[in-house]
């Protein structure tokens, strides 16, 4: 982003452009530490647990027409760009199983094992996997953030976090209902109670085609067309997805990183020239394309883009995902 | 006076024993013949025919067809008195791969019931001697009961739905039909593969249980082409079984809880999402109250499996067996005969609390009348396993017949004083009608919509 900003401040550039360029630094794209963020939400400090949805809610994007960012990746091409492609959307869940403590050796029959409830819930989630369609790209991958207090006490407080991802809002919604069944069945199986908090997450990424084409041409000019790849359907999620539902936006990838995959412990950026400078150049050049000649390209991109929803519709949709429920079966 | 009476009784016993010894080949042959033709519960047509013919030949023409294949023959002695029943079980268990298994049904006498029938006929022959007829009072009943092994639950449920059965095991149903109304006390001897060199094992109890017949109902769809349109009943059942396993840590050791079952239908074609999965299971424990507690948890586990997958569920909870309560007085009379006839070394007694974990419908009988269910150590292998075979037929059939017949002699000699004393001093835990009512009330059908 800084590279793009510097480039656009080169002598004469801004004078030749129409409109404006906004630099945005957004927090909390990784949807993690759900329990803590949920506490922030309940304390009224945030409403949404991701940075961009929260920016949208606060009106920070009300005066933005087109948006772009570039994300680094370990995927091929290591020496170029990945453009286009989609990402899944998600809802996030925070789950708490409430059992009954007792001595795990001396009196297990007096306890209700919340960890076993969570275990059964995860087994249930797995048993449902065959019911998901390939094209729905459903991904459910829970973690246990609290699994008991000490080993000789029957666990009575077990907490899980999970995402329910899918390539469409309907896919997410339907998978989320199935996950709730599995979570409830875990409680029913052992006689525990489950508190399920479902939190609005991110929407699927739908990059704008015109914007993708402009950016792609610039990337090819920088690194050569053999080093710019068309990406396909991707399983990860980003809150850039939310913005692409509201306005023309792109979220291309740039190489320059190595490791098993993003989010792996061995993921490091090893080519900063590409990952920082070339990424910045491609974005700045795309801004120039959009805003030159009275911003005619920008106006075309905006006019040919049909946003999936308005901001109000977006907020209604996301808020409808929020639920806090407690079940014993 | 009493010396003369004692002498008489010894003579009677000698005559009874002689008659049984004289028929040893015949009754062992009958047991071996039944071993060769194993039939599972409520289908023991051939077995019943063989037993009825042998009883008739022994002079006790039985009433047949009670509880489908059961029968009861009565021998009336000289004087008035109580009725003592000697019981043999007609049914085979299922143990495919057992050397004696029926190729089509998989039924096999892997529990040794065939030798009980040899012993039953032997006792009938023994108690048919004129010495017994003239000196004993009351009656001996020779009862062959169907279906002790609580298996083929779906088939039995079908028999119930079509009105042919009320309760689903042989003794339970015979009690319900009143076949035991005129019986005052009952005994049988079951074979055992106990490594104890002692011939007879007396004492101990058995687990109570309930039987579950469970149908997980999903929705069929092409398992490759459209799994998202199906609801997988097999996954629901798998989850239910996993859920049950999570409960095992809550089972108290002293309760000797056992939860186990089989899947009798697990889908119809591998490329179709299974729409119906049938599970037959048991919940066992030392007391009915403990069984009820665990069964309630287990039912929640079935529900949890259905809920997770969005399947529906039918649970039929079928009254199973009550714990065995061996009558102490009957045990005393029996053990005296074992010691007299076979020596001190032939006897092993165990505490009333000893529970091997299995269950028997002799337990039900023991709750409504004085009853005795000792074991004869005559088999090799593990009960219900493919290696369980009678290693010593003489012991299993002939010695069992002798010890039961002589026990009947003691019970019914001297104007049946011993039997009358046992009836007077042992009040059963419930009346027959209370038993039938409570077992009938236990039967529940539960439907659950997880979808
Ligand atoms: Zn990231
Ligand atoms: Zn048996």
């Amino acid at each position: 982003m800084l590279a793009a900003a510097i480039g656009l401040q080169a002598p004469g550039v801004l004078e030749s452009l129409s409109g404006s360029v906004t630099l945005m630094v957004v927090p909390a794209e990784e949807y993690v530490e759900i329990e803590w963020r949920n506490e922030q939400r309940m304390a009224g400090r945030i409403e949404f647990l991701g940075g961009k949805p929260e920016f949208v809610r606060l009106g920070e994007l009300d005066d933005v027409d087109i948006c772009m960012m570039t994300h680094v990746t370990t995927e091929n091409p290591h020496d170029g760009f990945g453009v286009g492609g989609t990402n899944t959307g998600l809802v996030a869940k925070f789950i708490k199983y409430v059992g009954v403590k007792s001595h795990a050796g001396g009196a297990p029959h007096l306890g209700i094992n919340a960890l076993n409830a969570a275990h059964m819930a995860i087994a249930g989630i797995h048993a449902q996997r065959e019911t998901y369609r390939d094209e729905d790209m459903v991904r459910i991958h829970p973690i246990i953030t609290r699994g008991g207090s000490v080993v000789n006490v029957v666990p009575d407080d077990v907490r899980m976090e999970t995402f329910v991802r899918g390539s469409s809002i309907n896919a997410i919604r339907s998978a989320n209902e199935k996950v709730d069944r599995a979570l409830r069945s875990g409680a029913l199986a052992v006689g525990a109670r489950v508190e399920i908090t479902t939190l609005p997450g991110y929407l699927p990424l739908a990059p704008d085609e015109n914007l993708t084409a402009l950016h792609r041409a610039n990337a090819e000019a920088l690194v050569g067309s053999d080093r710019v790849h068309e990406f396909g359907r991707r399983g990860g999620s980003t809150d850039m997805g939310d913005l692409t539902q509201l306005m023309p936006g792109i979220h291309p990838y740039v190489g320059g990183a190595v490791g098993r995959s993003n989010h792996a412990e061995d993921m490091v950026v090893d080519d900063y020239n590409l990952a920082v400078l070339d990424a910045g150049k491609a974005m700045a050049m795309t801004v120039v394309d959009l805003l030159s000649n009275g911003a005619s390209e920008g106006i075309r991109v905006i006019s040919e883009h049909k946003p999936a929803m308005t901001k109000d519709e977006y907020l209604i949709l996301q808020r409808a995902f929020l639920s806090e429920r407690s079940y014993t079966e | 006076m009493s010396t003369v009476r004692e002498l008489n009784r010894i003579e009677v016993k000698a005559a009874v024993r002689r008659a049984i010894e004289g028929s040893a080949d015949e009754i062992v042959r009958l047991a071996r013949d039944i071993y060769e033709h194993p039939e599972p519960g409520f289908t023991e047509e051939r077995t019943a025919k063989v037993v009825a013919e042998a009883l008739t030949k022994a002079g006790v023409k039985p009433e047949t067809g009670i509880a489908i294949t059961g029968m009861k023959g009565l021998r009336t002695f000289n004087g008035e008195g109580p009725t003592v029943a000697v019981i043999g079980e007609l049914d085979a268990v299922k143990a495919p791969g057992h050397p004696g298994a029926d190729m089509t049904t998989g039924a096999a006498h892997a529990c040794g019931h065939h030798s009980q029938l040899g012993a039953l006929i032997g006792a009938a022959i023994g108690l048919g001697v004129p010495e017994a007829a003239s000196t004993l009072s009351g009656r001996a009943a020779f009862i062959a009961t169907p279906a002790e092994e609580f298996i083929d639950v779906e088939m039995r449920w079908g028999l119930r739905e079509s009105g042919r059965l009320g309760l689903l095991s042989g003794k339970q149903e015979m009690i319900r039909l009143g076949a035991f109304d005129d019986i005052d006390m009952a005994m049988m001897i079951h074979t055992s593969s106990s490594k104890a060199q002692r011939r007879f094992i007396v004492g101990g109890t058995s687990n109570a249980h309930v039987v579950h017949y469970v149908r997980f109902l999903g929705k069929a769809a092409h398992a490759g082409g459209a799994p998202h349109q199906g609801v997988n009943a097999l996954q629901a059942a798998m989850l239910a079984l996993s859920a049950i396993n999570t409960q095992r840590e809550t089972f108290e050791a002293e309760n000797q809880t056992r939860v186990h079952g089989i899947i009798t239908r697990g889908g119809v074609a591998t490329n179709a999402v299974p729409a119906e999965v049938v599970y037959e299971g048991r919940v066992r424990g030392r007391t009915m109250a403990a069984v009820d507690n665990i069964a309630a948890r287990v039912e929640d586990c079935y529900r949890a499996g259905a809920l997770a997958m969005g399947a529906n569920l039918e649970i039929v909870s079928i009254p199973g067996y009550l714990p065995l309560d061996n009558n102490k007085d009957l045990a005393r009379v029996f053990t005296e005969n074992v010691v007299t006839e076979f020596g001190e070394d032939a006897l092993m007694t165990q505490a009333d609390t000893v529970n091997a974990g299995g269950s028997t419908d002799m337990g039900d009988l023991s709750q409504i009348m004085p009853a005795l269910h000792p074991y004869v150590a005559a088999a090799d292998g593990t009960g219900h396993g493919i290696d369980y075979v009678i290693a010593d037929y003489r012991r299993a059939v002939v010695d069992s017949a002798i010890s039961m017949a002589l026990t009947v002699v003691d019970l019914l000699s001297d104007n049946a004083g011993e039997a009358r004393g046992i009836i007077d001093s042992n009040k059963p835990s419930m009346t027959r009608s209370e038993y039938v009512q409570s077992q009938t009330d236990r039967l529940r059908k539960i439907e659950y919509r997880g979808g």
Side-chain angles (χ1 to χ4, degrees), chain A residues 268-281:
Chain A
V268 285
V269 174
D270 68 338
D271 182 351
Y272 281 94
N273 270 333
L274 178 68
V276 177
L277 297 182
D278 288 340
K281 286 178 202 166

Side-chain angles (χ1 to χ4, degrees), chain B residues 128-178:
Chain B
V129 296
E131 289 86 342
S134 60
T135 58
L136 302 185
S137 299
R139 300 183 303 174
F142 301 93
I143 300 178
T145 58
E148 186 274 333
E149 311 287 358
F150 213 127
I151 60 173
D152 294 329
V153 177
E154 181 164 40
M155 183 273 276
R156 292 187 196 180
W157 180 248
L159 288 172
R160 188 183 184 281
E161 298 269 76
S162 65
R164 294 194 65 204
L165 278 182
L167 295 171
L168 303 190
S169 95
K171 294 186 198 69
Q172 290 181 331
E173 178 68 351
M174 287 180 79
I175 295 169
R176 189 185 74 88
L177 294 171

